[in-house]
Amino acid sequence: MNIGDVAALSGLPAKTIRYYEDIGLVKPLRSANGYRSFRESDAHKLAFLGRARALGFSIEDCRNLMALYEDEHRASAEVKDIAEHHLERIDSKIAELKEMRATLTHLVDACAGDHRPDCPILADLAKEQSGEDRLENTA
């Protein structure tokens, strides 16, 4: 099947499929004229990758999960380990977002939102960060 067909089956855009091919996540056959020829197994792999990416797994995690999926002698502990590490990253991101929300909520509540020029939101955005904060934000 061609890239349009496999895109429809997998739910992924053709551009994403080409990218996954470029980085070696899928390897469709090539016809004599150079056109991609996808098999049903390629469509299944692409759907797998689409679902994994929708859950936020990194490309490298997807590569490892795909290898484990194709390995009939895999240990499920390896799969669980990848998922647990990803869950830790999600929890960390949620904590960061909660902190951001609390700070922004405080600033919005402190702002009168009237005709006066003074604004605690702008004042906070303009204040100098400590050296430690700058290091955190560049890490």
Side-chain angles (χ1 to χ4, degrees), residues 63-100:
R63 188 180 308 282
N64 293 329
L65 289 168
M66 182 62 70
L68 289 167
Y69 177 73
E70 292 174 333
D71 179 3
E72 294 179 8
H73 303 292
R74 69 183 167 264
S76 65
E78 293 177 74
V79 179
K80 185 175 182 177
D81 186 57
I82 293 169
E84 284 177 335
H85 281 92
H86 182 52
L87 195 54
E88 289 169 8
R89 289 189 301 269
I90 290 171
D91 288 339
S92 176
K93 182 77 101 180
I94 289 170
E96 288 174 26
L97 288 170
K98 284 182 177 179
E99 286 180 32
M100 287 170 44

Side-chain angles (χ1 to χ4, degrees), residues 124-135:
D124 186 81
L125 293 174
K127 76 180 177 186
E128 183 73 25
Q129 289 183 333
S130 70
E132 205 171 282
D133 287 344
R134 269 182 261 146
L135 288 176

Side-chain angles (χ1 to χ4, degrees), residues 13-121:
K15 185 175 183 177
T16 300
I17 294 169
R18 286 186 202 96
Y19 172 67
Y20 288 169
E21 180 187 11
D22 288 345
I23 63 172
L25 286 175
V26 292
K27 296 174 180 123
L29 300 173
R30 291 282 182 160
S31 62
N33 61 6
Y35 288 115
R36 293 170 186 87
S37 179
F38 291 91
R39 298 159 289 210
E40 191 173 321
S41 62
D42 294 320
H44 183 71
K45 286 178 186 179
L46 288 164
F48 178 99
L49 291 168
R51 177 77 173 130
R53 293 293 287 155
L55 289 172
F57 283 101
S58 69
I59 292 292
E60 195 55 37
D61 283 345
C62 288
R63 188 180 308 282
N64 293 329
L65 289 168
M66 182 62 70
L68 289 167
Y69 177 73
E70 292 174 333
D71 179 3
E72 294 179 8
H73 303 292
R74 69 183 167 264
S76 65
E78 293 177 74
V79 179
K80 185 175 182 177
D81 186 57
I82 293 169
E84 284 177 335
H85 281 92
H86 182 52
L87 195 54
E88 289 169 8
R89 289 189 301 269
I90 290 171
D91 288 339
S92 176
K93 182 77 101 180
I94 289 170
E96 288 174 26
L97 288 170
K98 284 182 177 179
E99 286 180 32
M100 287 170 44
R101 187 181 197 296
T103 299
L104 192 54
T105 297
H106 171 73
L107 292 171
V108 167
D109 289 345
C111 183
D114 56 17
H115 65 282
R116 294 179 302 169
D118 55 312
C119 177
I121 298 168

